[in-house]
Amino acid sequence: MKIGIVGSKKYTNRRKIQEFIFKLREGTSNQLEIVSGGEKIGAESYVKKYTLEFDIKYSEFPPIHHNYNHYCVKESYHYKKRYNVRNYFIRNKEIVDYCESIVVFKPIGIRCSSSENIIAESKKQDKKIVLVN
């Protein structure tokens, strides 16, 4: 089961993310794969940290202007391209395409266009969405 877990760079409740991932691990078989966007700060940094700490398979789709790393699903030649804000929205679509369901960690009252975009893309593809504040 591939579950995309993404979120705002301004999301700071690391304990909630840790508990969520722990419960996922307890409630699923060894087939669980957690997929994220690979951001260095905020929700996605905690997703990566706790997924790896709990020894769950981890994959990521960073925007194409980022560097390749060994968690990337796509080949290395897809990365280190020129920056464009659209790269984030392309990445979001790739995550939704790849996953069966999406979890979004987003603080209440904070606008996050990337989180809102991945929610809209998930709805468009009729994927299950869980929003955590």
Side-chain angles (χ1 to χ4, degrees):
M1 176 185 333
K2 296 175 184 167
I3 300 176
I5 305 180
V6 297
S8 169
K9 291 179 186 176
K10 295 182 180 178
Y11 193 88
T12 58
N13 191 340
R14 65 176 62 194
R15 184 178 179 125
K16 194 176 269 192
I17 294 171
Q18 180 184 34
E19 290 171 354
F20 189 92
I21 292 171
F22 180 79
K23 288 177 184 174
L24 267 179
R25 188 188 85 192
E26 294 298 305
T28 58
S29 67
N30 292 339
Q31 303 290 334
L32 177 63
E33 178 180 351
I34 293 180
V35 180
S36 197
E39 291 298 328
K40 306 285 187 241
I41 59 171
E44 293 178 11
S45 68
Y46 304 133
V47 169
K48 184 175 187 175
K49 173 182 175 29
Y50 296 121
T51 299
L52 296 175
E53 281 182 13
F54 292 141
D55 198 29
I56 300 168
K57 183 177 180 184
Y58 176 78
S59 301
E60 67 184 36
F61 284 89
I64 62 172
H65 59 270
H66 283 197
N67 292 329
Y68 171 84
N69 66 67
H70 68 279
Y71 299 111
C72 292
V73 174
K74 295 174 12 178
E75 298 292 330
S76 61
Y77 63 85
H78 290 283
Y79 296 97
K80 293 186 93 169
K81 307 292 186 201
R82 203 170 136 190
Y83 172 83
N84 189 311
V85 73
R86 289 180 298 175
N87 296 347
Y88 290 101
F89 303 113
I90 293 167
R91 180 265 321 258
N92 290 346
K93 184 176 182 328
E94 292 171 340
I95 291 172
V96 174
D97 289 345
Y98 187 78
C99 295
E100 297 160 35
S101 58
I102 302 292
V103 178
V104 181
F105 285 89
K106 183 177 172 296
I108 296 173
I110 301 290
R111 187 177 186 296
C112 176
S113 59
S114 185
S115 294
E116 292 164 10
N117 171 260
I118 204 162
I119 291 168
E121 186 63 40
S122 298
K123 288 178 180 178
K124 187 179 353 175
Q125 293 191 30
D126 202 26
K127 301 277 177 113
K128 180 180 179 188
I129 307 163
V130 176
L131 181 59
V132 183
N133 299 81

